[in-house]
Amino acid sequence: MEKKTLFNEFDPLSSAKWKQQIQYELKGADFNQTVVWESAEGIKVKPFYHFDEEIKKVHVNTPPNSFHIVQNIFVHDVFLSNKRALDSLHRGAESIRFTIENEAVSIADLMQNLPLENTTYFFYLPFLSIDFVKKINDFANTNSSKCVIELDPIGQLCKDGNWFANETQDFEKLQAISAKTTIPFLYINAGIYQNAGANMVQQLAYTLAHINEYFNQIKDINQPITIEVAVGTNYFFEMAKLKALRVLFNTLAAEYDHHFDCHILVTPTKRNKTLYDYNVNMLRTTTECMSAILGGANSIANLPYDALYHKDNEFGDRIARNQLLVLKHESYFDKVNNPTDGAYYVESLTSQLADKALMLFKEIEEKGGFLSQLLVGNIQKKVSESAAKEQDLFDNGAEILLGTNKYPNKNDRMKHDLELYPFVKQHPRKTLIIPIIEKRLAEKMEQERLETE
């Protein structure tokens, strides 16, 4: 005898029947124009996705969903930075990311008494020094610690407009570091594209082309590559973006016999963060971190709600860290592997983003590659065009930032609370290329408000 369940009592519904019912409810209105919308990437988003539709499933080799909580620390005073790292680890951080701008920093002093066995330490270096990298490498090998160096000369060119020295010397140093280093050293600053206003297809394609230049220039990269990605509040699209990035990276890496998966380090974007009604930034970063986790990020460094206008401070860091601790230990976001598998919408977005990004990547390569396109200004032009479209949506109220261009608090005052300059800084100088400028959507509106306080 057939066992009956609740679902046996209902007839199966096809996507055609769903669409028919929607058409009926629309009372003659056009389905595609009424309920289907198109994203900035040219992806048409439907109101529902069904298993009987032809959805191309992309296999993503997603790591176990146990993301690491990263604390960013800028090293100005070595001993204070060491103390802060210890405190952060005691308060829930699981990895530390040091930004070191001075080659005179003592790695032994910086790492004194820090737990080494199960903690990953990132070292972001905005300079190229074979000797300094060797110091970190020797420390890691001597102490059996997990250290990751972050070097990105192409990212330096994108952001600053100039190489550290010049193209030839930078790649020669990077090749020498590759030959002498046993720990990961190569890093891709992909966040700059999102923060400057590139759409998601551009972000993925430029990141892939960025990586491809290193594969072409450096022989035998025998360590994992770290990719830092910025995520915004387009919740499902950001999940799909991270999944597509991993697919694209592994596809490209296989062509060079590089058999390491990438390490995706995610941080919330600054592009949609605001100076006024700054507490809303916590809501934005929460959903952005959720997208990062569900999209398969390996590590997440949250952005403090007051990062735009306050110097690093214990309160802002603690709130940012606690957001991730709540997601991990109270919301159980780390308990399910591949949580988006079987979600037809996310799978469809992942497939479309990957396909469109791959097409754009191939166009870049056919025109001489990423560096060639940077030198003639094509990459910067495309990013600027995308940013202008998004800025126009914000200025016209179509893209909303609550508390800024929607329901602003007119009594809010910020002029006397600024410890940092929160806008694009102008430093006229001679550069090899036009740099890719990171800019927030609300900057012009905020400057006007500050002037009238």
Side-chain angles (χ1 to χ4, degrees), residues 174-175 178-179 185 214-222:
L174 211 56
Q175 182 63 62
S178 174
F185 69 93
Y214 286 127
F215 278 132
N216 283 323
Q217 296 281 353
I218 304 171
K219 297 178 181 177
D220 302 323
I221 302 173
N222 294 316

Side-chain angles (χ1 to χ4, degrees), residues 40-86:
E41 296 76 20
I43 294 175
K44 292 185 177 180
V45 181
K46 300 180 295 184
F48 71 95
Y49 291 77
H50 197 276
F51 70 86
D52 69 4
E53 296 175 317
E54 196 171 316
I55 296 175
K56 180 183 173 185
K57 181 172 174 58
V58 178
H59 175 69
V60 185
N61 185 26
T62 308
N65 206 24
S66 183
F67 66 95
H68 287 164
I69 299 171
V70 180
Q71 178 65 59
N72 286 320
I73 297 177
F74 183 87
V75 179
H76 178 69
D77 181 294
V78 172
F79 297 101
L80 287 178
S81 297
N82 171 268
K83 182 180 178 182
R84 186 177 166 202
L86 275 169

Side-chain angles (χ1 to χ4, degrees), residues 241-307:
K241 182 179 82 176
L242 295 181
K243 290 166 75 71
L245 174 60
R246 197 175 292 278
V247 171
L248 292 168
F249 174 84
N250 288 327
T251 301
L252 178 66
E255 296 296 316
Y256 293 92
D257 293 323
H258 179 83
H259 302 295
F260 297 90
D261 195 4
C262 58
H263 184 102
I264 297 180
L265 169 63
V266 175
T267 187
T269 182
K270 287 184 178 180
R271 186 156 173 79
N272 62 1
K273 302 305 178 289
T274 56
L275 188 60
Y276 290 92
D277 214 345
Y278 47 76
N279 286 323
V280 180
N281 290 333
M282 280 188 277
L283 304 179
R284 297 180 183 120
T285 54
T286 298
T287 65
E288 288 160 358
C289 288
M290 289 163 67
S291 291
I293 299 166
L294 297 176
N298 300 95
S299 303
I300 303 174
N302 195 12
L303 186 72
Y305 74 98
D306 59 347

Side-chain angles (χ1 to χ4, degrees), residues 88-154:
S88 298
L89 291 169
H90 288 151
R91 289 170 175 255
E94 297 160 330
S95 293
I96 301 294
R97 186 189 190 202
F98 292 115
T99 294
I100 302 174
E101 292 189 333
N102 187 351
E103 292 185 53
V105 166
S106 167
I107 298 301
D109 289 341
L110 183 62
M111 300 295 288
Q112 187 176 13
N113 298 324
L114 292 177
L116 301 177
E117 188 174 349
N118 297 312
T119 306
T120 301
Y121 295 91
F122 298 89
F123 297 86
Y124 172 69
L125 307 181
F127 59 87
L128 273 181
S129 169
I130 298 173
D131 291 339
F132 195 77
V133 168
K134 187 176 182 301
K135 288 180 184 178
I136 300 174
N137 186 69
D138 290 346
F139 177 89
N141 291 331
T142 301
N143 294 278
S144 300
S145 60
K146 189 174 181 182
C147 295
V148 177
I149 300 170
E150 297 180 350
L151 297 172
D152 185 12
I154 296 176

Side-chain angles (χ1 to χ4, degrees), residues 222-442:
N222 294 316
Q223 301 91 0
I225 296 173
T226 302
I227 306 175
E228 182 175 3
V229 182
V231 295
T233 47
N234 196 340
Y235 191 63
F236 293 105
F237 268 73
E238 292 292 355
M239 292 179 208
K241 182 179 82 176
L242 295 181
K243 290 166 75 71
L245 174 60
R246 197 175 292 278
V247 171
L248 292 168
F249 174 84
N250 288 327
T251 301
L252 178 66
E255 296 296 316
Y256 293 92
D257 293 323
H258 179 83
H259 302 295
F260 297 90
D261 195 4
C262 58
H263 184 102
I264 297 180
L265 169 63
V266 175
T267 187
T269 182
K270 287 184 178 180
R271 186 156 173 79
N272 62 1
K273 302 305 178 289
T274 56
L275 188 60
Y276 290 92
D277 214 345
Y278 47 76
N279 286 323
V280 180
N281 290 333
M282 280 188 277
L283 304 179
R284 297 180 183 120
T285 54
T286 298
T287 65
E288 288 160 358
C289 288
M290 289 163 67
S291 291
I293 299 166
L294 297 176
N298 300 95
S299 303
I300 303 174
N302 195 12
L303 186 72
Y305 74 98
D306 59 347
L308 298 180
Y309 63 93
H310 275 168
K311 295 178 182 178
D312 287 349
N313 61 89
E314 195 274 337
F315 183 77
D317 285 343
R318 180 162 59 88
I319 293 296
R321 194 168 53 243
N322 285 352
Q323 287 174 259
L324 288 169
L325 287 169
V326 168
L327 289 175
K328 190 166 192 175
H329 298 296
E330 296 184 30
S331 303
Y332 307 111
F333 265 61
D334 65 330
K335 299 302 182 188
V336 180
N337 291 336
N338 303 325
T340 61
D341 278 7
Y344 307 130
Y345 178 38
V346 177
E347 288 185 356
S348 175
L349 292 180
T350 302
S351 173
Q352 292 184 75
L353 286 173
D355 288 346
K356 286 176 177 289
L358 189 58
M359 287 176 61
L360 181 54
F361 166 74
K362 289 178 179 178
E363 288 179 18
I364 294 168
E365 293 305 305
E366 287 171 1
K367 293 177 181 177
F370 188 65
L371 288 178
S372 173
Q373 292 298 289
L374 276 175
L375 289 172
V376 298
N378 283 347
I379 301 295
Q380 299 92 317
K381 180 183 176 183
K382 294 297 184 183
V383 172
S384 180
E385 288 173 353
S386 175
K389 290 177 182 177
E390 188 181 19
Q391 187 69 56
D392 188 55
L393 290 173
F394 172 79
D395 293 343
N396 293 323
E399 182 160 333
I400 295 170
L401 294 181
L402 287 176
T404 300
N405 68 340
K406 187 79 169 179
Y407 307 124
N409 178 3
K410 298 298 184 181
N411 296 320
D412 214 356
R413 297 289 181 270
M414 290 299 299
K415 184 179 287 187
H416 301 296
D417 202 17
L418 302 183
E419 297 174 357
L420 301 172
Y421 185 71
F423 309 114
V424 173
K425 297 177 182 177
Q426 303 289 338
H427 294 297
R429 56 197 168 80
K430 186 177 180 180
T431 57
L432 180 65
I433 68 166
I434 299 170
I436 297 175
I437 305 296
E438 299 182 1
K439 186 178 180 181
R440 295 182 299 107
L441 288 169

